[in-house]
Amino acid sequence: MRLTDALNGRAGRWLLAACLALSALPALQGCASAPPTDDIVTASDEPELRRRARIRLQLAVGYFEQGKTTVALDEVKQSLNIDPSFVDAYNLRGLIYTRLNDMRLAEESFRRGLALSPKDPNLLQNYGWMLCQQQRIDEGVQAFDQALANPTYIDRAKTWLTKGLCQARGGRTQDAEDSLRHSFELDARNPVTGYNLALLLYQRGQYEKSLFYIRRINNSELANAETLWLGIRVEHRLGNRVARDQLGTQLRNRFPSSRELSLYERGAFYE
């Protein structure tokens, strides 16, 4: 199986779910209008229209996280009806349309937000991932780089991760490896980064390096059928039959109905 196939399959969907779940919330912080002095920003400093729009948007985020996408969209629309200049609402609307696979409206939403706030790193992150899903690799990478250029941006590990996956989709495997390593250096606990870095290294024939990352996941409570199966294939490539079969036992006991167990029992290590 090619790396690009893997990224477009369940591994890719796992990444996308993680990105979308984490992308809506950070932009809701610190967006109140600045007070006329250097005092600390409090609730009273926020204009009434923005306060009402924010309440609607907070409801929308809650529905979005629960998977109630159309309800979330309705709340976003009401937020924008109250305050058409609310950048965070355009960001979430773009995420919603991305989830609904309406890329035209997703792009329109992100572009409207960026017209209001061209350097917003959360908007650029989400816009870049949407572009990547359409195989617009150069544009996506450019958006990620713009987000990373912001020195105050907090979620840099997430953007290095999505940048790496975007580059891998475009066949730029060395660039993808470099980006994923940056992400891992910033957040070594993220299993999505570890899994995708291990997968990339496996596909490039760097089995010893792949083993380091996949064992970290499989030795934790975050292991699942996909990570165990990748671990099995890596151990098999390295001739570690005992370790391979130990992982196979875990796979059989924990995920008896999985596709990965069927592949393991058939000995389909190279599919």
Side-chain angles (χ1 to χ4, degrees):
M1 179 172 61
R2 294 175 304 163
L3 176 61
T4 51
D5 294 334
L7 297 179
N8 288 321
R10 284 191 291 168
R13 289 196 293 275
W14 181 18
L15 169 76
L16 179 59
C19 288
L20 294 188
L22 294 174
S23 294
L25 293 175
L28 297 182
Q29 308 300 324
C31 299
S33 299
T37 71
D38 292 331
D39 202 355
I40 296 172
V41 176
T42 61
S44 63
D45 296 309
E46 187 169 45
E48 176 62 18
L49 282 179
R50 178 57 56 86
R51 187 189 68 81
R52 288 168 50 203
R54 185 180 303 285
I55 290 171
R56 285 291 185 183
L57 189 60
Q58 288 170 340
L59 289 172
V61 169
Y63 286 124
F64 182 76
E65 291 181 332
Q66 296 169 33
K68 299 177 180 178
T69 310
T70 54
V71 181
L73 180 58
D74 187 61
E75 292 292 346
V76 169
K77 288 179 179 179
Q78 294 189 58
S79 177
L80 287 169
N81 283 337
I82 296 169
D83 185 353
S85 67
F86 196 6
V87 172
D88 298 342
Y90 288 112
N91 191 13
L92 182 56
R93 191 174 76 169
L95 288 171
I96 290 170
Y97 281 126
T98 300
R99 179 179 286 180
L100 293 172
N101 202 34
D102 190 330
M103 298 306 183
R104 182 184 66 81
L105 290 176
E107 181 162 4
E108 179 199 16
S109 298
F110 290 131
R111 283 186 173 276
R112 291 189 67 176
L114 288 168
L116 294 166
S117 184
K119 296 182 180 180
D120 187 300
N122 292 296
L123 268 169
L124 288 163
Q125 151 71 27
N126 296 329
Y127 181 47
W129 182 241
M130 184 219 71
L131 291 168
C132 182
Q133 288 180 267
Q134 299 180 76
Q135 289 300 118
R136 295 161 64 181
I137 307 300
D138 289 339
E139 294 172 84
V141 169
Q142 183 179 18
F144 295 137
D145 286 342
Q146 287 179 274
L148 292 166
N150 187 325
T152 65
Y153 183 38
I154 296 174
D155 291 325
R156 306 178 73 80
K158 178 180 65 182
T159 297
W160 278 114
L161 168 60
T162 48
K163 179 181 176 181
L165 268 291
C166 190
Q167 290 165 325
R169 282 178 175 233
R172 305 171 190 177
T173 55
Q174 184 57 61
D175 290 338
E177 181 180 338
D178 293 341
S179 295
L180 291 172
R181 286 189 189 277
H182 275 297
S183 180
F184 186 83
E185 289 168 3
L186 293 169
D187 185 7
R189 296 173 298 176
N190 188 337
V192 182
T193 302
Y195 173 83
N196 282 288
L197 184 50
L199 177 62
L200 176 62
L201 291 167
Y202 174 82
Q203 294 286 347
R204 301 189 75 194
Q206 300 180 39
Y207 306 125
E208 289 284 358
K209 292 181 180 179
S210 177
L211 186 63
F212 169 80
Y213 296 102
I214 200 61
R215 275 188 175 177
R216 283 176 59 95
I217 301 172
N218 286 334
N219 289 335
S220 76
E221 71 280 3
L222 299 172
N224 62 21
E226 287 176 85
T227 66
L228 289 169
W229 176 234
L230 179 56
I232 287 168
R233 289 187 289 160
V234 173
E235 301 285 7
H236 181 77
R237 287 280 192 176
L238 292 170
N240 301 330
R241 294 187 178 183
V242 173
R244 178 198 69 189
D245 293 341
Q246 287 175 342
L247 292 173
T249 299
Q250 284 191 56
L251 186 60
R252 183 178 295 107
N253 292 339
R254 297 176 58 189
F255 306 101
S257 302
S258 66
R259 169 182 172 273
E260 289 79 7
L261 178 60
S262 175
L263 291 169
Y264 171 69
E265 291 181 333
R266 290 196 288 110
F269 302 112
Y270 306 114
E271 290 187 14

